[in-house]
Amino acid sequence: MALVNEHYLKLRAGYLFPEIARRVQAFTKTNPEAQIIRLGIGDVTQPLPPAVIKSFHQAVDEMGQAESFKGYGPEQGYEFLLDRIIANDFEVRGVTLESDEVFVSDGSKCDSGNIQEIFAVDNVVAVADPAYPVYVDTNVMAGRTGKADEKGRYHGLYYMPCTEANDFLPEVPSHKVDIIYLCFPNNPTGVVAHRHVLQTWVDYARQNQAVILFDAAYEAYITEEEIPHSIYEIQGAKECAIEFRSFSKTAGFTGTRCAYTVVPKALLASTKSGETASLNKLWNRRHTTKFNGVSYPVQVAAAAVYSDEGKTQVRALIDYYMQNARIIRQTLSAAGFTVFGGKNAPYIWMKTSGGMSSWDFFDLLLAEAHVVGTPGSGFGPSGEGYFRLSAFGSREKTEEAVERIRNKISP
Ligand SMILES: *Cc1c(COP(=O)(O)O)cnc(C)c1O
């Protein structure tokens, strides 16, 4: 018999979202009349902006004509998209990049999950607790950890607890780690990192020759002027950081699929024998070997995000979700709940009622308010006692959901 990759068997069963789906299904079976409102999974609900759809259509038509048909494109993405990314997402913030430092892909989930492949198995990996589950699970699959303990902490990973006591900001490790996952604005807590916080991380990484994997999937939700959108706005970051960006939450591409990853050429790592190697070259090798590029129409659609029309429409989309965030935050806060986030991110991180466990609170909210959220403990042990609500619903449903919570649940 063929042997399996036994590291997969270490993964904790009942991944968060399937378990949520299971409980909701069980509830609706016995309560078929309940009008459930889902503020759980981090998926957008508003359609793609008209400027994006227009370009998307035009590109599809081009594919139907012999003169404009496109077969395989460059795996790293078309120049027309790379140029727009660099000009609009980086140059306006004082960051210069060359086009071979940007890799267009089909998602930041994929990229933040695949990136660990270009690093040795014996690196020490640091993750925030709570965190986006992809960072942890992909390192488990690769064999960079031992088994999970009863709290769900994998042996060998360095956890950085993010709690009320440290304003949900991970603290710089007390000893040397090699790879650090950071996500700002954060999923699930909704917190952001100011310039001095990111500078501390860049300084740590450079002193310890560590690499920061910076997930900026929610940068478009930053509303406060002084908060950096890219880690490369911090001096020295090009020598120590990889950045992930996505059109998913920015422009509603969760079902259309387009993202990109920045791997600066100044970023080096080492072989065991002490020779330096370019991570840009390694990622390019991986990307061109295992990926065949994002489809042409999707890249044209993504480029339209940067047109004048596109920018205006995307801004309106984000404002819409951020107004939802404000409604959730203000209503629950006025009702006496303790809430965090929701100011520069589409997530509200709330404390459960009376120190209840995250899953008990999930069940209570489902049973009493018919509202589905995400248990904080699903993002890591330090998320226990917290609960995530997402601002990605429609205005009407969001308003109704918080009304129900206010009326049915005591803080
Ligand atoms: C949604 C999300 C992404 C984006 O994933 P895609 O694969 O680009 O859709 C990346 N990181 C975090 C933390 C997210 O929540």
Side-chain angles (χ1 to χ4, degrees):
M1 245 193 250
L3 301 174
V4 298
N5 175 353
E6 292 190 27
H7 301 306
Y8 275 61
L9 306 180
K10 297 176 198 160
L11 291 165
R12 301 250 295 179
Y15 177 69
L16 183 59
F17 294 108
E19 176 60 18
I20 290 174
R22 196 189 63 73
R23 291 190 190 209
V24 173
Q25 205 179 16
F27 180 78
T28 44
K29 216 169 185 180
T30 45
N31 302 272
E33 74 299 335
Q35 298 287 313
I36 304 243
I37 300 179
R38 291 163 201 274
L39 299 182
I41 294 184
D43 194 1
V44 297
T45 53
Q46 299 303 301
L48 290 169
V52 168
I53 288 296
K54 188 164 153 241
S55 294
F56 208 171
H57 273 296
Q58 283 167 355
V60 169
D61 287 340
E62 282 180 56
M63 296 298 268
Q65 305 290 326
E67 314 78 62
S68 49
F69 168 78
K70 302 270 192 302
Y72 291 126
E75 290 95 337
Q76 302 89 338
Y78 285 102
E79 283 293 332
F80 68 80
L81 180 55
L82 296 171
D83 290 347
R84 284 187 168 203
I85 288 171
I86 292 170
N88 293 281
D89 289 345
F90 296 97
E91 280 173 4
V92 292
R93 307 198 69 86
V95 177
T96 55
L97 288 173
E98 288 173 42
S99 61
D100 57 356
E101 295 179 300
V102 179
F103 298 84
V104 173
S105 77
D106 61 346
S108 283
K109 182 188 201 175
C110 329
D111 288 350
S112 64
N114 289 326
I115 196 76
Q116 46 76 31
E117 261 189 49
I118 63 168
F119 295 94
V121 176
D122 30 20
N123 281 301
V124 177
V125 174
V127 289
D129 167 25
Y132 184 51
V134 173
Y135 315 147
V136 171
D137 288 359
T138 55
N139 278 289
V140 174
M141 290 168 169
R144 235 169 248 114
T145 75
K147 290 210 170 98
D149 66 17
E150 72 289 346
K151 281 203 154 166
R153 281 199 185 90
Y154 290 94
H155 187 78
L157 274 190
Y158 185 98
Y159 287 91
M160 304 180 288
C162 299
T163 60
E164 218 179 325
N166 56 18
D167 295 324
F168 304 99
L169 288 171
E171 282 159 35
V172 165
S174 52
H175 62 264
K176 185 178 153 32
V177 301
D178 306 302
I179 297 169
I180 302 147
Y181 289 84
L182 294 178
C183 175
F184 292 114
N186 190 260
N187 176 11
T189 65
V191 303
V192 276
H194 283 80
R195 189 169 291 276
H196 68 273
V197 171
L198 293 180
Q199 187 70 60
T200 310
W201 279 104
V202 168
D203 293 346
Y204 172 88
R206 296 186 70 194
Q207 272 155 25
N208 292 279
Q209 300 190 304
V211 174
I212 295 170
L213 303 176
F214 191 77
D215 188 340
Y218 296 96
E219 62 76 31
Y221 289 83
I222 294 173
T223 56
E224 288 170 70
E225 196 59 43
E226 68 279 10
I227 295 167
H229 288 236
S230 166
I231 193 150
Y232 304 120
E233 291 176 55
I234 307 301
Q235 186 132 44
K238 274 191 190 170
E239 283 97 74
C240 66
I242 289 172
E243 181 164 302
F244 305 100
R245 293 275 191 111
S246 174
F247 294 93
S248 283
K249 314 304 172 16
T250 307
F253 274 60
T254 53
T256 306
R257 312 304 305 143
C258 198
Y260 65 87
T261 290
V262 180
V263 189
K265 285 186 276 192
L267 176 58
L268 302 174
S270 171
T271 64
K272 264 195 188 134
S273 56
E275 290 151 85
T276 54
S278 158
L279 289 174
N280 175 282
K281 277 194 186 150
L282 261 60
W283 184 247
N284 188 54
R285 192 71 170 87
R286 193 246 165 235
H287 198 71
T288 52
T289 302
K290 296 196 175 183
F291 185 63
N292 245 339
V294 172
S295 82
Y296 172 72
V298 169
Q299 291 193 58
V300 171
V305 167
Y306 299 108
S307 66
D308 289 340
E309 256 187 310
K311 280 181 188 168
T312 308
Q313 291 163 3
V314 162
R315 191 34 43 212
L317 204 58
I318 289 166
D319 288 347
Y320 178 87
Y321 293 132
M322 288 311 284
Q323 176 64 12
N324 287 348
R326 211 167 296 127
I327 290 166
I328 300 172
R329 191 162 47 80
Q330 288 174 354
T331 312
L332 296 184
S333 176
F337 288 96
T338 308
V339 296
F340 306 94
K343 285 187 181 151
N344 294 290
Y347 294 117
I348 283 81
W349 188 241
M350 66 187 294
K351 264 180 142 160
T352 61
S353 307
M356 202 180 271
S357 83
S358 298
W359 278 112
D360 284 351
F361 191 69
F362 174 92
D363 290 335
L364 178 74
L365 226 62
L366 179 59
E368 300 298 325
H370 304 166
V371 171
V372 178
T374 315
S377 56
F379 299 99
S382 297
E384 184 58 279
Y386 290 92
F387 201 72
R388 190 191 76 175
L389 292 176
S390 131
F392 287 132
S394 69
R395 177 66 40 77
E396 194 193 350
K397 292 237 168 106
T398 302
E399 283 173 342
E400 160 107 33
V402 288
E403 266 321 295
R404 287 194 205 159
I405 296 173
R406 183 165 73 165
N407 292 327
K408 308 266 185 187
I409 314 286
S410 49

Short mmCIF file of all heavy atoms in Angstrom, two decimals, residues 61-111:
data_model
loop_
_atom_site.label_atom_id
_atom_site.label_comp_id
_atom_site.label_asym_id
_atom_site.label_seq_id
_atom_site.Cartn_x
_atom_site.Cartn_y
_atom_site.Cartn_z
N ASP A 61 -14.70 38.56 -24.62
CA ASP A 61 -14.93 38.68 -26.06
C ASP A 61 -13.62 38.57 -26.85
O ASP A 61 -13.59 37.94 -27.91
CB ASP A 61 -15.63 40.01 -26.39
CG ASP A 61 -17.10 39.98 -25.96
OD1 ASP A 61 -17.64 38.86 -25.77
OD2 ASP A 61 -17.68 41.06 -25.77
N GLU A 62 -12.56 39.14 -26.32
CA GLU A 62 -11.24 39.03 -26.98
C GLU A 62 -10.82 37.58 -27.13
O GLU A 62 -10.18 37.19 -28.10
CB GLU A 62 -10.16 39.75 -26.16
CG GLU A 62 -10.14 41.26 -26.29
CD GLU A 62 -9.02 41.85 -25.44
OE1 GLU A 62 -7.85 41.46 -25.63
OE2 GLU A 62 -9.33 42.68 -24.57
N MET A 63 -11.20 36.77 -26.15
CA MET A 63 -10.82 35.34 -26.18
C MET A 63 -11.56 34.59 -27.30
O MET A 63 -11.15 33.50 -27.68
CB MET A 63 -11.11 34.67 -24.83
CG MET A 63 -10.31 35.20 -23.67
SD MET A 63 -8.54 34.96 -23.87
CE MET A 63 -8.30 33.39 -23.06
N GLY A 64 -12.64 35.20 -27.82
CA GLY A 64 -13.42 34.55 -28.87
C GLY A 64 -13.01 34.95 -30.28
O GLY A 64 -13.65 34.53 -31.25
N GLN A 65 -11.99 35.78 -30.40
CA GLN A 65 -11.52 36.23 -31.72
C GLN A 65 -10.09 35.74 -31.94
O GLN A 65 -9.25 35.90 -31.04
CB GLN A 65 -11.50 37.78 -31.77
CG GLN A 65 -12.81 38.44 -31.43
CD GLN A 65 -13.86 38.22 -32.49
OE1 GLN A 65 -13.54 38.14 -33.68
NE2 GLN A 65 -15.11 38.06 -32.08
N ALA A 66 -9.81 35.21 -33.13
CA ALA A 66 -8.48 34.67 -33.41
C ALA A 66 -7.38 35.72 -33.20
O ALA A 66 -6.32 35.42 -32.67
CB ALA A 66 -8.42 34.14 -34.84
N GLU A 67 -7.68 36.99 -33.57
CA GLU A 67 -6.64 38.04 -33.49
C GLU A 67 -6.28 38.40 -32.05
O GLU A 67 -5.17 38.84 -31.77
CB GLU A 67 -7.08 39.34 -34.19
CG GLU A 67 -7.72 39.20 -35.57
CD GLU A 67 -9.17 38.76 -35.48
OE1 GLU A 67 -9.98 39.51 -34.90
OE2 GLU A 67 -9.50 37.66 -35.97
N SER A 68 -7.25 38.27 -31.16
CA SER A 68 -6.99 38.72 -29.78
C SER A 68 -6.98 37.57 -28.78
O SER A 68 -6.78 37.78 -27.58
CB SER A 68 -8.02 39.77 -29.37
OG SER A 68 -9.33 39.30 -29.67
N PHE A 69 -7.15 36.35 -29.27
CA PHE A 69 -7.15 35.18 -28.38
C PHE A 69 -5.83 35.07 -27.63
O PHE A 69 -4.77 35.37 -28.17
CB PHE A 69 -7.38 33.91 -29.22
CG PHE A 69 -7.10 32.64 -28.47
CD1 PHE A 69 -8.03 32.14 -27.56
CD2 PHE A 69 -5.89 31.96 -28.64
CE1 PHE A 69 -7.76 30.97 -26.86
CE2 PHE A 69 -5.61 30.79 -27.93
CZ PHE A 69 -6.55 30.30 -27.04
N LYS A 70 -5.90 34.65 -26.36
CA LYS A 70 -4.69 34.44 -25.55
C LYS A 70 -4.65 33.00 -25.04
O LYS A 70 -5.62 32.50 -24.52
CB LYS A 70 -4.72 35.34 -24.31
CG LYS A 70 -4.82 36.83 -24.59
CD LYS A 70 -3.45 37.43 -24.71
CE LYS A 70 -3.49 38.95 -24.70
NZ LYS A 70 -4.34 39.50 -25.78
N GLY A 71 -3.51 32.39 -25.23
CA GLY A 71 -3.28 31.07 -24.62
C GLY A 71 -2.58 31.25 -23.28
O GLY A 71 -2.89 32.17 -22.54
N TYR A 72 -1.61 30.39 -23.01
CA TYR A 72 -0.84 30.57 -21.77
C TYR A 72 -0.24 31.97 -21.73
O TYR A 72 0.36 32.42 -22.71
CB TYR A 72 0.33 29.58 -21.72
CG TYR A 72 -0.07 28.13 -21.54
CD1 TYR A 72 0.37 27.15 -22.44
CD2 TYR A 72 -0.84 27.72 -20.45
CE1 TYR A 72 0.03 25.82 -22.27
CE2 TYR A 72 -1.18 26.39 -20.28
CZ TYR A 72 -0.75 25.44 -21.18
OH TYR A 72 -1.07 24.13 -21.02
N GLY A 73 -0.36 32.61 -20.59
CA GLY A 73 0.30 33.91 -20.40
C GLY A 73 1.52 33.71 -19.53
O GLY A 73 1.82 32.59 -19.12
N PRO A 74 2.22 34.79 -19.19
CA PRO A 74 3.33 34.67 -18.25
C PRO A 74 2.78 34.20 -16.89
O PRO A 74 1.77 34.74 -16.42
CB PRO A 74 3.90 36.09 -18.15
CG PRO A 74 2.98 36.98 -18.88
CD PRO A 74 2.00 36.17 -19.66
N GLU A 75 3.41 33.20 -16.29
CA GLU A 75 2.91 32.66 -15.02
C GLU A 75 2.85 33.74 -13.94
O GLU A 75 2.03 33.71 -13.04
CB GLU A 75 3.82 31.53 -14.50
CG GLU A 75 3.76 30.25 -15.31
CD GLU A 75 4.86 30.17 -16.35
OE1 GLU A 75 5.41 31.23 -16.77
OE2 GLU A 75 5.17 29.03 -16.78
N GLN A 76 3.76 34.71 -14.03
CA GLN A 76 3.87 35.76 -13.00
C GLN A 76 2.82 36.86 -13.18
O GLN A 76 2.72 37.74 -12.34
CB GLN A 76 5.26 36.40 -13.03
CG GLN A 76 6.41 35.43 -12.82
CD GLN A 76 6.91 34.82 -14.12
OE1 GLN A 76 6.21 34.77 -15.13
NE2 GLN A 76 8.15 34.34 -14.10
N GLY A 77 2.09 36.84 -14.29
CA GLY A 77 1.08 37.87 -14.53
C GLY A 77 1.46 38.74 -15.71
O GLY A 77 2.64 38.87 -16.05
N TYR A 78 0.46 39.34 -16.35
CA TYR A 78 0.70 40.23 -17.49
C TYR A 78 1.27 41.56 -17.00
O TYR A 78 0.88 42.05 -15.93
CB TYR A 78 -0.60 40.49 -18.25
CG TYR A 78 -1.03 39.31 -19.09
CD1 TYR A 78 -2.05 38.46 -18.67
CD2 TYR A 78 -0.41 39.05 -20.32
CE1 TYR A 78 -2.45 37.37 -19.44
CE2 TYR A 78 -0.82 37.96 -21.10
CZ TYR A 78 -1.83 37.13 -20.65
OH TYR A 78 -2.22 36.06 -21.41
N GLU A 79 2.16 42.15 -17.83
CA GLU A 79 2.77 43.44 -17.49
C GLU A 79 1.71 44.51 -17.20
O GLU A 79 1.88 45.34 -16.32
CB GLU A 79 3.69 43.94 -18.62
CG GLU A 79 5.06 43.25 -18.68
CD GLU A 79 6.00 43.52 -17.50
OE1 GLU A 79 5.89 44.59 -16.87
OE2 GLU A 79 6.81 42.63 -17.21
N PHE A 80 0.60 44.49 -17.97
CA PHE A 80 -0.40 45.56 -17.79
C PHE A 80 -0.94 45.57 -16.36
O PHE A 80 -1.23 46.62 -15.80
CB PHE A 80 -1.52 45.47 -18.84
CG PHE A 80 -2.42 44.26 -18.71
CD1 PHE A 80 -3.44 44.22 -17.77
CD2 PHE A 80 -2.27 43.15 -19.55
CE1 PHE A 80 -4.29 43.12 -17.67
CE2 PHE A 80 -3.10 42.05 -19.45
CZ PHE A 80 -4.11 42.02 -18.50
N LEU A 81 -1.04 44.38 -15.75
CA LEU A 81 -1.54 44.32 -14.37
C LEU A 81 -0.41 44.63 -13.38
O LEU A 81 -0.60 45.40 -12.43
CB LEU A 81 -2.16 42.95 -14.09
CG LEU A 81 -2.71 42.75 -12.66
CD1 LEU A 81 -3.72 43.83 -12.28
CD2 LEU A 81 -3.34 41.37 -12.51
N LEU A 82 0.76 44.07 -13.63
CA LEU A 82 1.90 44.31 -12.73
C LEU A 82 2.20 45.80 -12.62
O LEU A 82 2.41 46.33 -11.53
CB LEU A 82 3.14 43.55 -13.23
CG LEU A 82 3.03 42.02 -13.22
CD1 LEU A 82 4.23 41.40 -13.95
CD2 LEU A 82 2.95 41.48 -11.80
N ASP A 83 2.18 46.49 -13.78
CA ASP A 83 2.47 47.94 -13.78
C ASP A 83 1.46 48.71 -12.94
O ASP A 83 1.81 49.61 -12.20
CB ASP A 83 2.45 48.49 -15.22
CG ASP A 83 3.64 47.97 -16.02
OD1 ASP A 83 4.58 47.41 -15.41
OD2 ASP A 83 3.62 48.11 -17.27
N ARG A 84 0.19 48.35 -13.09
CA ARG A 84 -0.85 49.05 -12.33
C ARG A 84 -0.74 48.77 -10.83
O ARG A 84 -0.96 49.66 -10.01
CB ARG A 84 -2.23 48.65 -12.83
CG ARG A 84 -2.55 49.31 -14.15
CD ARG A 84 -3.98 49.03 -14.55
NE ARG A 84 -4.34 49.90 -15.67
CZ ARG A 84 -5.57 50.24 -15.98
NH1 ARG A 84 -6.58 49.76 -15.28
NH2 ARG A 84 -5.82 51.04 -16.98
N ILE A 85 -0.42 47.54 -10.50
CA ILE A 85 -0.24 47.18 -9.08
C ILE A 85 0.86 48.03 -8.47
O ILE A 85 0.69 48.67 -7.43
CB ILE A 85 0.10 45.66 -8.95
CG1 ILE A 85 -1.14 44.81 -9.24
CG2 ILE A 85 0.67 45.36 -7.57
CD1 ILE A 85 -0.86 43.31 -9.36
N ILE A 86 2.00 48.05 -9.15
CA ILE A 86 3.17 48.75 -8.60
C ILE A 86 2.89 50.25 -8.48
O ILE A 86 3.16 50.87 -7.45
CB ILE A 86 4.42 48.46 -9.45
CG1 ILE A 86 4.80 46.98 -9.28
CG2 ILE A 86 5.58 49.37 -9.06
CD1 ILE A 86 5.87 46.49 -10.25
N ALA A 87 2.30 50.83 -9.52
CA ALA A 87 2.04 52.28 -9.50
C ALA A 87 1.02 52.67 -8.44
O ALA A 87 1.20 53.64 -7.71
CB ALA A 87 1.56 52.74 -10.88
N ASN A 88 -0.06 51.88 -8.32
CA ASN A 88 -1.18 52.29 -7.47
C ASN A 88 -1.11 51.80 -6.03
O ASN A 88 -1.62 52.45 -5.12
CB ASN A 88 -2.50 51.81 -8.07
CG ASN A 88 -2.81 52.53 -9.37
OD1 ASN A 88 -3.27 53.66 -9.36
ND2 ASN A 88 -2.49 51.89 -10.49
N ASP A 89 -0.52 50.63 -5.83
CA ASP A 89 -0.50 50.09 -4.47
C ASP A 89 0.80 50.41 -3.74
O ASP A 89 0.85 50.34 -2.51
CB ASP A 89 -0.69 48.56 -4.49
CG ASP A 89 -2.12 48.17 -4.86
OD1 ASP A 89 -3.00 49.05 -4.82
OD2 ASP A 89 -2.34 46.99 -5.20
N PHE A 90 1.86 50.74 -4.48
CA PHE A 90 3.16 50.94 -3.83
C PHE A 90 3.77 52.31 -4.09
O PHE A 90 4.14 53.01 -3.15
CB PHE A 90 4.11 49.80 -4.23
CG PHE A 90 3.61 48.48 -3.73
CD1 PHE A 90 2.88 47.63 -4.55
CD2 PHE A 90 3.80 48.11 -2.40
CE1 PHE A 90 2.36 46.44 -4.07
CE2 PHE A 90 3.29 46.92 -1.91
CZ PHE A 90 2.57 46.08 -2.75
N GLU A 91 3.88 52.72 -5.37
CA GLU A 91 4.57 53.97 -5.64
C GLU A 91 3.90 55.16 -4.97
O GLU A 91 4.59 56.04 -4.45
CB GLU A 91 4.73 54.18 -7.15
CG GLU A 91 5.91 53.35 -7.66
CD GLU A 91 6.09 53.33 -9.15
OE1 GLU A 91 5.35 54.03 -9.87
OE2 GLU A 91 6.99 52.60 -9.60
N VAL A 92 2.56 55.14 -4.90
CA VAL A 92 1.86 56.24 -4.23
C VAL A 92 2.19 56.30 -2.74
O VAL A 92 1.99 57.32 -2.10
CB VAL A 92 0.32 56.15 -4.40
CG1 VAL A 92 -0.08 56.38 -5.84
CG2 VAL A 92 -0.21 54.82 -3.90
N ARG A 93 2.70 55.21 -2.19
CA ARG A 93 3.06 55.20 -0.78
C ARG A 93 4.58 55.24 -0.60
O ARG A 93 5.11 54.89 0.46
CB ARG A 93 2.47 53.97 -0.08
CG ARG A 93 0.95 53.85 -0.32
CD ARG A 93 0.28 52.93 0.66
NE ARG A 93 0.28 53.50 2.00
CZ ARG A 93 -0.66 54.33 2.45
NH1 ARG A 93 -1.66 54.69 1.70
NH2 ARG A 93 -0.56 54.81 3.67
N GLY A 94 5.27 55.62 -1.67
CA GLY A 94 6.72 55.81 -1.57
C GLY A 94 7.53 54.54 -1.68
O GLY A 94 8.71 54.52 -1.33
N VAL A 95 6.92 53.46 -2.16
CA VAL A 95 7.63 52.18 -2.27
C VAL A 95 7.88 51.88 -3.75
O VAL A 95 6.94 51.87 -4.55
CB VAL A 95 6.81 51.03 -1.65
CG1 VAL A 95 7.51 49.68 -1.83
CG2 VAL A 95 6.53 51.30 -0.18
N THR A 96 9.11 51.65 -4.13
CA THR A 96 9.40 51.28 -5.52
C THR A 96 9.60 49.76 -5.59
O THR A 96 10.20 49.15 -4.72
CB THR A 96 10.67 51.96 -6.04
OG1 THR A 96 11.74 51.65 -5.15
CG2 THR A 96 10.50 53.46 -6.12
N LEU A 97 9.06 49.17 -6.64
CA LEU A 97 9.23 47.73 -6.86
C LEU A 97 9.47 47.51 -8.34
O LEU A 97 9.00 48.29 -9.17
CB LEU A 97 7.96 46.96 -6.45
CG LEU A 97 7.64 46.82 -4.96
CD1 LEU A 97 6.26 46.18 -4.80
CD2 LEU A 97 8.69 46.00 -4.23
N GLU A 98 10.19 46.46 -8.67
CA GLU A 98 10.33 46.09 -10.08
C GLU A 98 9.31 45.00 -10.39
O GLU A 98 8.87 44.28 -9.50
CB GLU A 98 11.76 45.60 -10.33
CG GLU A 98 12.74 46.77 -10.28
CD GLU A 98 14.19 46.34 -10.35
OE1 GLU A 98 14.49 45.43 -11.16
OE2 GLU A 98 14.99 46.89 -9.59
N SER A 99 8.96 44.89 -11.69
CA SER A 99 7.85 44.00 -12.01
C SER A 99 8.18 42.53 -11.73
O SER A 99 7.28 41.74 -11.48
CB SER A 99 7.37 44.20 -13.45
OG SER A 99 8.39 43.93 -14.34
N ASP A 100 9.48 42.17 -11.71
CA ASP A 100 9.78 40.77 -11.38
C ASP A 100 9.86 40.52 -9.87
O ASP A 100 10.31 39.45 -9.44
CB ASP A 100 11.04 40.28 -12.11
CG ASP A 100 12.26 41.13 -11.79
OD1 ASP A 100 12.13 42.14 -11.07
OD2 ASP A 100 13.36 40.78 -12.29
N GLU A 101 9.38 41.47 -9.09
CA GLU A 101 9.26 41.25 -7.64
C GLU A 101 7.80 40.99 -7.25
O GLU A 101 7.48 40.77 -6.09
CB GLU A 101 9.80 42.46 -6.87
CG GLU A 101 11.30 42.66 -7.09
CD GLU A 101 11.87 43.88 -6.36
OE1 GLU A 101 11.42 45.02 -6.64
OE2 GLU A 101 12.75 43.69 -5.52
N VAL A 102 6.90 41.06 -8.25
CA VAL A 102 5.47 40.87 -8.00
C VAL A 102 4.99 39.63 -8.77
O VAL A 102 5.29 39.48 -9.95
CB VAL A 102 4.66 42.11 -8.44
CG1 VAL A 102 3.17 41.91 -8.21
CG2 VAL A 102 5.16 43.36 -7.71
N PHE A 103 4.26 38.77 -8.09
CA PHE A 103 3.78 37.52 -8.69
C PHE A 103 2.25 37.47 -8.57
O PHE A 103 1.71 37.34 -7.47
CB PHE A 103 4.38 36.31 -7.96
CG PHE A 103 5.89 36.24 -8.04
CD1 PHE A 103 6.69 36.95 -7.16
CD2 PHE A 103 6.51 35.47 -9.01
CE1 PHE A 103 8.08 36.89 -7.22
CE2 PHE A 103 7.89 35.40 -9.09
CZ PHE A 103 8.68 36.12 -8.20
N VAL A 104 1.57 37.58 -9.70
CA VAL A 104 0.10 37.52 -9.70
C VAL A 104 -0.32 36.06 -9.53
O VAL A 104 0.31 35.15 -10.09
CB VAL A 104 -0.48 38.12 -11.00
CG1 VAL A 104 -1.98 37.91 -11.09
CG2 VAL A 104 -0.14 39.61 -11.09
N SER A 105 -1.36 35.84 -8.74
CA SER A 105 -1.77 34.47 -8.45
C SER A 105 -3.28 34.37 -8.32
O SER A 105 -3.99 35.36 -8.46
CB SER A 105 -1.14 34.03 -7.13
OG SER A 105 -1.86 34.62 -6.06
N ASP A 106 -3.75 33.17 -8.00
CA ASP A 106 -5.19 32.95 -7.85
C ASP A 106 -5.65 33.08 -6.40
O ASP A 106 -6.79 32.75 -6.08
CB ASP A 106 -5.58 31.58 -8.42
CG ASP A 106 -4.89 30.44 -7.71
OD1 ASP A 106 -3.90 30.69 -6.97
OD2 ASP A 106 -5.30 29.28 -7.88
N GLY A 107 -4.82 33.58 -5.51
CA GLY A 107 -5.32 33.82 -4.16
C GLY A 107 -4.24 33.95 -3.11
O GLY A 107 -3.17 33.34 -3.22
N SER A 108 -4.54 34.72 -2.09
CA SER A 108 -3.61 34.85 -0.97
C SER A 108 -3.69 33.65 -0.04
O SER A 108 -2.77 33.40 0.72
CB SER A 108 -3.91 36.11 -0.16
OG SER A 108 -3.44 37.23 -0.83
N LYS A 109 -4.81 32.95 -0.07
CA LYS A 109 -4.87 31.72 0.71
C LYS A 109 -3.83 30.76 0.16
O LYS A 109 -3.03 30.19 0.90
CB LYS A 109 -6.26 31.09 0.63
CG LYS A 109 -6.40 29.84 1.47
CD LYS A 109 -7.72 29.16 1.18
CE LYS A 109 -8.13 28.24 2.31
NZ LYS A 109 -9.46 27.67 2.07
N CYS A 110 -3.84 30.61 -1.17
CA CYS A 110 -2.91 29.71 -1.83
C CYS A 110 -1.47 30.16 -1.58
O CYS A 110 -0.62 29.36 -1.20
CB CYS A 110 -3.19 29.67 -3.33
SG CYS A 110 -4.92 29.91 -3.75
N ASP A 111 -1.21 31.45 -1.78
CA ASP A 111 0.17 31.94 -1.66
C ASP A 111 0.67 31.86 -0.22
O ASP A 111 1.80 31.41 0.03
CB ASP A 111 0.27 33.39 -2.16
CG ASP A 111 0.13 33.49 -3.68
OD1 ASP A 111 0.15 32.45 -4.35
OD2 ASP A 111 0.02 34.63 -4.18
#
